[in-house]
Amino acid sequence: MKSDRLLSILLLLQTRGRVPAHELAGRLEVSVRTIYRDIEALSASGVPVYAERGRHGGIELLAGFRTDVTGLTADESRALFILAAQGAHAALGLDAALGSALRKVMAALPAPHRPAAEVTSRRILVDATRWKSGPQQAVDLEVLQDAVFSDRRLSLRYRHSGGREPRTYTVDPYGLVAKAGVWYLVADRRGVPRLFRADRIRSARPLDEPVRRRPGVELADAWEVLRRQVEERRGGIDVTVRVRRDRLDLFQRIVAAELTAPPDDDGESEWVTARLSYPTLRAVRQLLAFSDQVELLDPPEARAELLAAARSVAALYQEAPGALK
């Protein structure tokens, strides 16, 4: 609707300041010509908006102009109050601030929308932590936040997965990302985007040097590159297994990250075939947790790895004090 678009333009200009017409057109999915027509409509209604052409031009509100109109619809009000259940605010020390902000928003909402927003906050709960993710080390994000917001470089002591000793890095932070209950620092190291799990950062110290980010790159851009790298990374070995039907649901929940396709389930057979991808040959030892409920069929080297692991476990218990002979 045109009225919604006009309000969106007004709020974007109020938040961002000068915005190029082509950027507004892209965000609102209309043509540049439509944007200029909307600007004329806003000006005709008394909004002090003007456009400047040229290389550094754009559309802008007259300095000092503000509007208190929220323009929130019922669905937008509900969406906003679901934010209170995200859980990320506690780690950032913003729980109290969020509650205060939502109370202010509630007071500003149109009266007909207030009951729906209040019910939403009581009826919808978002828990971003994965099941059986195991105990996680407490993460102190204060130093990381300070560096991110003050645009300073960071010196990190970071322990990689599988590494015994932390290593030292000097990085240029873009920001923090919460992914499935896990916090990550997104930063450049020597101009290359890197991902650092916050719970593996042993110490962090802001430096007196200003951050050196790549021109034109924002947090969302750097995160998209890193996210794609993680999700598109091919495993080191593809394996085929068969699973007993009565353990299939549990199997799928535990190995969800390794499954490359839905299991071949005809709905009748006692065994169901599934295909997985592991980063290393040794990682297939995860399947030992299923005992005789899962059989690794292929490739042969993966079967040999699993057999060697099983023999090692058997030998350990045979040699243990009080072991059965």
Side-chain angles (χ1 to χ4, degrees):
M1 293 177 59
K2 182 177 180 179
S3 58
D4 288 341
R5 192 171 66 246
L6 293 177
L7 181 59
S8 295
I9 292 174
L10 178 58
L11 295 176
L12 281 169
L13 295 178
Q14 188 169 282
T15 303
R16 298 273 307 280
R18 181 176 297 181
V19 183
H22 68 83
E23 184 176 334
L24 286 173
R27 294 192 63 159
L28 300 176
E29 299 181 346
V30 295
S31 67
V32 172
R33 180 176 297 180
T34 297
I35 290 296
Y36 280 119
R37 283 201 297 263
D38 289 344
I39 296 305
E40 291 177 2
L42 284 172
S43 181
S45 66
V47 176
V49 59
Y50 63 96
E52 286 192 3
R53 300 186 182 277
R55 182 179 179 183
H56 300 292
I59 297 167
E60 191 171 359
L61 292 170
L62 190 66
F65 176 80
R66 303 289 296 177
T67 177
D68 292 329
V69 177
T70 64
L72 290 173
T73 66
D75 284 345
E76 289 167 343
S77 303
R78 292 190 186 97
L80 182 61
F81 276 79
I82 289 176
L83 286 174
Q86 294 290 332
H89 312 90
L92 297 174
L94 295 175
D95 264 1
L98 176 66
S100 175
L102 289 177
R103 286 192 294 273
K104 292 176 182 178
V105 172
M106 178 70 81
L109 284 176
H113 298 343
R114 292 176 192 169
E118 186 176 354
V119 168
T120 296
S121 66
R122 299 201 313 264
R123 297 290 182 265
I124 303 296
L125 175 65
V126 178
D127 186 342
T129 305
R130 294 178 59 182
W131 290 111
K132 298 182 178 180
S133 57
Q136 294 185 358
Q137 179 177 325
V139 178
D140 183 1
L141 298 177
E142 184 175 355
V143 175
L144 301 181
Q145 284 189 84
D146 288 345
V148 166
F149 291 128
S150 62
D151 291 330
R152 295 164 67 188
R153 306 188 90 191
L154 269 171
S155 176
L156 301 180
R157 291 279 290 166
Y158 185 78
R159 184 188 65 79
H160 291 275
S161 175
R164 294 184 177 180
E165 298 296 330
R167 301 175 65 178
T168 301
Y169 297 104
T170 297
V171 300
D172 298 291
Y174 285 92
L176 296 165
V177 174
K179 173 75 169 174
V182 179
W183 282 97
Y184 294 90
L185 173 70
V186 176
D188 276 356
R189 179 173 180 263
R190 297 177 179 174
V192 177
R194 296 283 299 274
L195 205 54
F196 299 90
R197 272 186 63 143
D199 57 0
R200 292 185 187 148
I201 296 176
R202 293 295 171 257
S203 66
R205 179 172 56 88
L207 303 178
D208 291 333
E209 307 169 51
V211 72
R212 304 173 188 173
R213 302 186 183 112
R214 285 166 287 143
V217 178
E218 298 291 340
L219 171 61
D221 305 317
W223 169 253
E224 179 62 20
V225 170
L226 293 165
R227 182 193 62 79
R228 243 190 345 255
Q229 288 177 357
V230 172
E231 293 180 355
E232 293 176 359
R233 187 180 298 152
R234 292 293 298 168
I237 184 167
D238 296 328
V239 303
T240 303
V241 302
R242 64 172 189 163
V243 188
R244 289 193 186 275
R245 172 173 302 284
D246 58 0
R247 290 293 182 269
L248 183 59
D249 287 344
L250 176 64
F251 174 79
Q252 290 186 94
R253 288 199 299 272
I254 293 177
V255 302
E258 286 75 32
L259 282 172
T260 59
D264 300 333
D265 187 3
D266 60 9
E268 298 179 0
S269 304
E270 178 185 358
W271 293 88
V272 178
T273 302
R275 293 167 181 82
L276 306 94
S277 182
Y278 285 102
T280 63
L281 182 61
R282 188 179 179 84
V284 302
R285 295 186 176 204
Q286 176 196 40
L287 299 173
L288 284 176
F290 298 98
S291 184
D292 59 352
Q293 305 301 304
V294 173
E295 180 186 2
L296 199 159
L297 303 176
D298 193 63
E301 61 268 28
R303 285 179 61 92
E305 175 69 22
L306 212 56
L307 179 59
R311 285 173 173 166
S312 177
V313 171
L316 176 66
Y317 283 96
Q318 287 172 355
E319 296 171 2
L324 295 177
K325 301 295 184 181

